[in-house]
Amino acid sequence: MQTQMKIPIIEMDGDEMTRILWDSVKEKLILPFVDLKTEYFDLGVQERDRTNNEVSVRAAEALMEHGVGVKCPTITPTPERVKEYGLANDVVSPNRIVRSKMGGMLFRMPICIPAIDPLVPNWKSPITIVRYVYGDVYRGVEMLADKGDVCEIVLRKANGDVLSKNVHEFCETGGMVQAVHNTDAGIEAFARCAMGFAVEMKQDLWFGAKDTVSKVYDRRFFEIFDEVYHSEFVVRFESEGIAYHRMLIDDAVSRALRSGGGFVWACKSYDGDVFSDMVATGFGSIAMMSSSVVSPSGQVLYEAAHGTVQQHYYRHMRGESVSTNPIGLIYAWSGALRKRGQLDGLGGLCGFADALERAVAETVEDGVMTADLFQRSVSENKREASSFDFILEVAERLARRAIL
Ligand code: NAP
Ligand code: MG
């Protein structure tokens, strides 16, 4: 398909099993059908090490310039990984570099296919998690304390006043301390983004925090959400017939499990990190989750929600057949292509993204699926496929659609 793409999609390659599948998805499902234009950055751990993280910074800058990116999962090195790959530099997570440059919200939405029943049987429609990826423990300052140490927190006010509070006196034993922060402007942008998305989806918005315990920090989140809702969204919510529900986070978890799904769940960063895995698993598999980061100025990065699937990679390298599910990776590509198409008025590109997703659903509906779905499917004609066979089966169906 001649797409007339003028502005490139920023392509960020990754590591291990997902790097191998990335190649195969591109070769079999994208390049034969689309006249693709990308600006390629290799965010594989060795290239990040060789460039001392510069490649991640350049990729983030290119994304901010061109607006749409697609990213393969990458290794966040631990001491074991540094040894395994013989890394010389402090190779930090590119997600951290890219997300902090974007300063955005993370959206996680399950990919629901009728042939796969959710693990939580009452979940009939997707639950989208909107995670605010700034601050809290992810920007925390931490220290170890020894027995006898005293910890205080000090706030130097702009007017010269100094406020301080005692945190803890470590009289009996040592321990640790942590200081976290967030900003009014960031939370306001988060509230506006989540509420705008709920209106777009025509679904209720939930937001949970723990203001019974955190009477200043978490309460501030609620206050700002209330302000944004009452000053900007009440009328739009009412005209769509949707509601904003604020609740304690533990109540939100219990209600979410009992619900039928079909709502937008705004989460503080840590809650979103944890509950997005729960929601993905509850709908079927971590591989069946699409993920995107959206910046306040509209740049979007599409990813899969899972990691590099390390253990499958080792099996693949030993020559064994693996059945890693590539659907999350395929949806990262379809999301990026559709967005580029929408921004540049390229209807053909949007149509291709839809056709690709339909070809994936049709393949699973026909009973062809990877091991994770095979274990869960109740389909009578199901057959377990390797990753590469699955991609070929999708390609066959996509080619039929492209011809029609
Ligand atoms: P993972 O790669 O998500 O894999 C954890 C387990 O989940 C796998 O062993 C597999 O379970 C299952 N799984 C995940 N994706 C799957 C798929 N597509 N198809 C089938 N099963 C799938 O998480 P991890 O093992 O904790 O992390 C591995 C590496 O990924 C780490 O270096 C971590 O830093 C990195 N990571 C990167 C990102 C990112 O770049 N966005 C996110 C998370 C983790 P079974 O073994 O039971 O089949
Ligand atoms: Mg998580």
Side-chain angles (χ1 to χ4, degrees):
M1 184 176 65
Q2 290 300 314
T3 58
Q4 320 285 303
M5 277 180 78
K6 291 198 178 66
I7 306 176
I9 289 174
I10 305 308
E11 179 186 352
M12 308 184 196
D13 209 343
D15 287 303
E16 300 192 316
M17 197 61 218
T18 42
R19 185 180 180 100
I20 287 163
L21 295 179
W22 191 258
D23 232 28
S24 176
V25 165
K26 249 177 86 177
E27 185 202 339
K28 305 284 187 226
L29 300 180
I30 316 279
L31 294 175
F33 305 99
V34 178
D35 180 18
L36 184 70
K37 185 170 171 171
T38 69
E39 198 173 322
Y40 177 89
F41 293 89
D42 181 0
L43 299 196
V45 73
Q46 278 131 338
E47 185 60 11
R48 282 183 275 144
D49 186 41
R50 196 187 67 77
T51 62
N52 198 8
N53 296 310
E54 204 208 303
V55 64
S56 307
V57 176
R58 282 195 288 113
E61 285 167 357
L63 174 63
M64 293 310 284
E65 184 187 341
H66 293 301
V68 180
V70 59
K71 180 179 172 293
C72 179
T74 43
I75 291 170
T76 300
T78 54
E80 297 79 48
R81 298 298 225 156
V82 169
K83 211 159 138 201
E84 179 181 358
Y85 284 90
L87 307 177
N89 291 298
D90 181 14
V91 179
V92 298
S93 159
N95 297 329
R96 194 169 145 193
I97 292 176
V98 174
R99 286 173 194 171
S100 74
K101 192 105 192 154
M102 294 181 79
M105 317 299 154
L106 188 59
F107 288 75
R108 293 244 155 125
M109 193 189 291
I111 301 162
C112 294
I113 291 179
I116 307 300
D117 289 330
L119 202 61
V120 179
N122 44 297
W123 281 0
K124 302 292 180 210
S125 330
I127 297 170
T128 305
I129 290 200
V130 184
R131 175 183 163 201
Y132 172 44
V133 281
Y134 177 83
D136 302 351
V137 293
Y138 302 85
R139 292 276 179 116
V141 176
E142 304 185 328
M143 279 186 262
L144 287 176
D146 295 322
K147 183 179 173 186
D149 291 353
V150 175
C151 181
E152 286 179 351
I153 190 163
V154 176
L155 181 68
R156 289 182 216 293
K157 306 287 291 178
N159 66 4
D161 291 352
V162 177
L163 305 181
S164 73
K165 279 193 175 182
N166 184 40
V167 176
H168 191 66
E169 289 171 19
F170 291 88
C171 301
E172 309 291 331
T173 154
M176 60 282 194
V177 293
Q178 181 185 62
V180 298
H181 79 279
N182 222 304
T183 69
D184 288 355
I187 299 167
E188 197 181 307
F190 167 46
R192 194 169 288 124
C193 175
M195 288 177 195
F197 185 71
V199 170
E200 204 179 292
M201 296 290 287
K202 302 187 195 328
Q203 289 181 339
D204 287 358
L205 176 73
W206 295 21
F207 176 59
K210 191 80 177 179
D211 65 335
T212 44
V213 172
S214 174
K215 293 188 167 65
V216 174
Y217 198 101
D218 276 24
R219 185 158 298 166
R220 190 75 195 120
F221 274 82
F222 278 133
E223 285 168 1
I224 294 173
F225 263 68
D226 287 350
E227 281 161 25
V228 173
Y229 178 65
H230 288 294
S231 60
E232 299 173 35
F233 284 93
V234 179
V235 176
R236 281 197 266 172
F237 269 55
E238 281 173 2
S239 70
E240 293 295 350
I242 59 174
Y244 162 50
H245 301 289
R246 76 193 308 272
M247 53 193 116
L248 280 176
I249 188 63
D250 10 14
D251 190 26
V253 173
S254 137
R255 280 171 193 260
L257 273 174
R258 286 179 277 127
S259 78
F263 60 92
V264 178
W265 188 358
C267 289
K268 289 177 62 193
S269 198
Y270 183 80
D271 298 340
D273 189 348
V274 176
F275 298 137
S276 60
D277 288 59
M278 182 191 80
V279 167
T281 308
F283 274 102
S285 157
I286 180 75
M288 301 293 283
M289 188 98 178
S290 66
S291 177
S292 53
V293 188
V294 182
S295 79
S297 40
Q299 287 88 351
V300 194
L301 177 66
Y302 294 86
E303 335 166 283
H306 54 82
T308 61
V309 214
Q310 187 182 355
Q311 297 306 325
H312 293 208
Y313 175 64
Y314 297 148
R315 296 212 289 271
H316 170 77
M317 294 307 275
R318 287 197 298 268
E320 295 169 29
S321 168
V322 287
S323 187
T324 316
N325 187 338
I327 294 179
L329 296 174
I330 298 172
Y331 266 65
W333 274 102
S334 59
L337 292 168
R338 184 182 295 108
K339 186 73 188 178
R340 196 68 275 167
Q342 285 165 349
L343 290 176
D344 303 347
L346 301 172
L349 208 50
C350 300
F352 173 76
D354 294 343
L356 176 55
E357 290 176 4
R358 278 200 302 273
V360 167
E362 214 176 282
T363 308
V364 179
E365 293 290 315
D366 288 347
V368 182
M369 55 192 86
T370 45
D372 54 327
L373 299 185
F374 182 82
Q375 286 159 13
R376 305 238 26 264
S377 169
V378 289
S379 166
E380 278 177 10
N381 60 345
K382 64 179 178 176
R383 149 168 102 70
E384 186 178 317
S386 72
S387 305
F388 301 107
D389 284 345
F390 181 82
I391 291 169
L392 285 177
E393 295 268 357
V394 176
E396 262 175 40
R397 286 162 182 80
L398 183 60
R400 284 209 289 271
R401 285 188 172 277
I403 291 163
L404 284 174

